Amino acid sequence: MNFLLWHQYFLSNRHHFDHLDWTGAASLTTPEKNIIYTSIQQFQRGEHSEGKHFLKFAQSMKDESYVDTVKIFIKEEQDHAAVLGHFMEIQGIDKLNRDWLDNSFRWLRKLAGLEGTVTVLLTAEIISMIYYTALQRSTGSALLQHICKQILADEEMHLQFQSFSLHILYGRKPGSAILFSRLLHSILMAGTIIMVWFYHRKVLKSGGYRFFSFFQAVWNEFARCVIMIRDKKPSVPVTANVTHAA
């Protein structure tokens, strides 16, 4: 199975932020800024990656269409970082050069090989689905709300892309190895939920989550991805699912 349809999807989504109106962007209120300041710094840092190790590991898929798709996927993640960074500049929020949580995820991806890298990325993207929902609810800024809405649309397709990739990779392994991989992913997911809550609970609480509702929301997304990995979904041309926030 090649990744040509995914390559076409990411190409078609290259202008995903063109609809944003940056003119006259209103400032965050002081309470809003206090809530999101350090949190958006960390997520903006986490969205930015050169993807060198991912591209290197992608060669092991033995599918040039996958390598080409990963290149455009990385660019889309960099777009998220750039747009968040521009918003932060307007609001007077400094960017982080380093963050230990982001560095930990990068370290895991560097050491993990292709399957491990995709698993770590999928874990972060599952968290992002709930985080950006909370961030969107935490502000009256129309611009930040539209940014979050578009990132959520993109991340939904990222979940499907990484799940599809893991389906292919799992298909090359015996059943016992698949069960072990799923166990490790569950442990990673649970640990990540706890760490993210600890560092981002102000935004999550402002967005209507308490710890157990956050845990449940993330776990529901994780369970949905497990089904996609197992059942090889999506099985239709992904270009049909392109969605842009209004």
Side-chain angles (χ1 to χ4, degrees), residues 163 182 185 221-231:
S163 296
R182 286 176 176 163
H185 194 183
E221 290 292 330
F222 175 58
R224 186 164 66 92
C225 289
V226 169
I227 292 171
M228 288 195 287
I229 294 166
R230 184 189 65 203
D231 294 346

Side-chain angles (χ1 to χ4, degrees), residues 40-224:
I40 199 172
Q41 283 181 313
Q42 288 185 318
F43 265 79
Q44 190 275 338
R45 174 62 186 165
E47 293 280 6
H48 181 75
S49 173
E50 294 181 359
K52 291 184 294 185
H53 293 98
F54 190 12
L55 278 172
K56 179 182 177 182
F57 294 144
Q59 300 289 341
S60 67
M61 186 68 85
K62 306 299 182 184
D63 185 335
E64 283 305 310
S65 66
Y66 179 67
V67 177
D68 291 340
T69 303
V70 166
K71 291 177 183 177
I72 309 175
F73 164 79
I74 291 168
K75 176 60 170 62
E76 188 161 293
E77 291 280 32
Q78 291 171 343
D79 288 347
H80 291 178
V83 168
L84 287 170
H86 187 37
F87 177 81
M88 289 164 59
E89 289 172 3
I90 292 172
Q91 303 298 330
I93 299 174
D94 297 328
K95 295 179 186 177
L96 294 180
N97 292 321
R98 295 178 64 85
D99 174 65
W100 81 267
L101 187 58
D102 174 58
N103 288 343
S104 298
F105 273 91
R106 292 173 192 269
W107 178 78
L108 283 173
R109 295 199 302 266
K110 182 177 179 180
L111 295 180
L114 180 57
E115 182 188 320
T117 294
V118 173
T119 298
V120 171
L121 285 169
L122 180 57
T123 300
E125 286 158 356
I126 290 169
I127 290 287
S128 292
M129 292 295 290
I130 310 306
Y131 174 79
Y132 286 111
T133 298
L135 183 60
Q136 185 178 21
R137 295 172 181 170
S138 298
T139 179
S141 165
L143 176 57
L144 183 54
Q145 289 173 350
H146 288 156
I147 290 171
C148 290
K149 189 174 181 181
Q150 186 57 53
I151 290 177
L152 285 166
D154 293 343
E155 293 291 358
E156 170 59 31
M157 298 308 291
H158 293 181
L159 293 187
Q160 296 190 44
F161 171 58
Q162 305 297 9
S163 296
F164 184 82
S165 302
L166 283 177
H167 174 85
I168 302 300
L169 291 167
Y170 281 11
R172 302 173 179 178
K173 301 171 63 172
S176 58
I178 294 172
L179 289 174
F180 184 67
S181 292
R182 286 176 176 163
L183 174 61
L184 289 179
H185 194 183
S186 297
I187 294 170
L188 175 63
M189 192 79 256
T192 303
I193 290 171
I194 293 170
M195 286 192 296
V196 169
W197 175 261
F198 184 79
Y199 284 98
H200 300 280
R201 61 187 180 276
K202 287 200 295 185
V203 169
L204 294 168
K205 285 181 178 180
S206 179
Y209 293 101
R210 294 297 180 264
F211 177 74
F212 289 109
S213 60
F214 171 60
F215 193 103
Q216 186 64 58
V218 174
W219 209 259
N220 287 344
E221 290 292 330
F222 175 58
R224 186 164 66 92

